[in-house]
Amino acid sequence: MAADVKDDELPVNGRMCIVTRESGETEDRLIRFVAGPDGQVVPDLKGKLPGRGCWVTAERAILEKAIARKLFARALKAEVKAEPSLPDEVDRLLAQQLIGMMNMARKAAQFISGASKTEQAVRGLAALATFHASDAAPDGVRKISQARKAMSFAVEDGSEIPAFRLFTAAELDSSLGSNSFIHAAALAGQAGEGVVKRAKALERYRGPSSP
């Protein structure tokens, strides 16, 4: 990560983080923010809201630094206020995107749940990634992790597929209802790839989860 810069050196144009001055792919490395009609800083995850925007590296700690240093007013050239709750709002929106993509992938038969089905998908090299409730029983997670490790020897680069633990069982029940899970896997296909992409974005924002 690049060193922080002085306030008088901050860029105000372009797709560059107003804290670190690093640029990146806007979809997954930077988050756009705009000034709302009420003077509040508004996250624009899809990058489509009208008006002048600024960019912040898609990590909670960097966003918190932008708020603490009051960098949004200068970058947006407006009298705006970034509420302390803004990092939580971004987390909620990223999680919402992931849950929505999980539902879409399930309809496309590219997201399956259940410990046995997940382990079978891993051992059959059909899984792109696995998902576990963060409070899942260790034994179930261990069996699927062992399958991930074993299958890493069957692929050319020897890498394990990623595993994510981003929500508690209660959060999954609340968000997914009857589609809730304790163990699940994203399968190959556009929707399954979308699930993995959004899971990586949420994990990167929050910080790495346990395997």
Side-chain angles (χ1 to χ4, degrees):
M1 184 177 295
D4 292 348
V5 295
K6 297 178 181 178
D7 290 351
D8 60 2
E9 296 175 345
L10 287 171
V12 294
N13 293 304
R15 292 174 177 177
M16 181 179 290
C17 175
I18 61 174
V19 179
T20 68
R21 296 193 70 183
E22 290 184 330
S23 59
E25 294 298 326
T26 59
E27 250 184 277
D28 53 9
R29 294 294 180 181
L30 296 171
I31 296 174
R32 185 174 185 259
F33 293 86
V34 299
D38 58 355
Q40 299 294 325
V41 175
V42 177
D44 178 22
L45 268 60
K46 295 183 178 180
K48 295 181 179 180
L49 292 179
R52 183 184 182 89
C54 65
W55 303 85
V56 177
T57 298
E59 298 175 18
R60 185 183 183 108
I62 302 298
L63 175 56
E64 290 173 343
K65 188 171 290 187
I67 296 170
R69 290 173 55 183
K70 297 179 170 55
L71 301 181
F72 285 105
R74 178 175 180 183
L76 294 173
K77 292 188 180 297
E79 291 296 324
V80 295
K81 182 178 181 181
E83 295 289 348
S85 61
L86 184 59
D88 289 336
E89 173 66 6
V90 171
D91 186 288
R92 185 188 68 79
L93 292 172
L94 289 170
Q96 190 177 69
Q97 284 188 341
L98 173 56
I99 292 295
M101 185 55 69
M102 284 178 174
N103 280 324
M104 185 180 300
R106 188 182 292 274
K107 291 178 181 177
Q110 294 171 21
F111 192 80
I112 59 171
S113 58
S116 296
K117 289 183 179 180
T118 297
E119 183 178 354
Q120 289 172 8
V122 172
R123 292 192 180 279
L125 298 178
L128 300 177
T130 61
F131 296 81
H132 310 280
S134 59
D135 49 356
D139 186 55
V141 176
R142 182 170 56 252
K143 288 179 180 178
I144 294 170
S145 296
Q146 288 171 346
R148 290 171 48 237
K149 180 66 175 178
M151 291 304 99
S152 69
F153 297 106
V155 296
E156 188 173 344
D157 62 2
S159 62
E160 293 182 30
I161 60 172
F164 299 96
R165 305 184 71 175
L166 299 166
F167 305 106
T168 65
E171 288 171 336
L172 290 166
D173 284 340
S174 176
S175 300
L176 290 168
S178 61
N179 288 332
S180 182
F181 63 85
I182 300 299
H183 308 284
L187 308 181
Q190 186 174 1
E193 291 170 0
V195 170
V196 177
K197 179 178 180 179
R198 284 160 179 77
K200 287 181 177 179
L202 180 57
E203 183 179 70
R204 183 165 49 246
Y205 179 76
R206 291 178 173 177
S209 60
S210 300

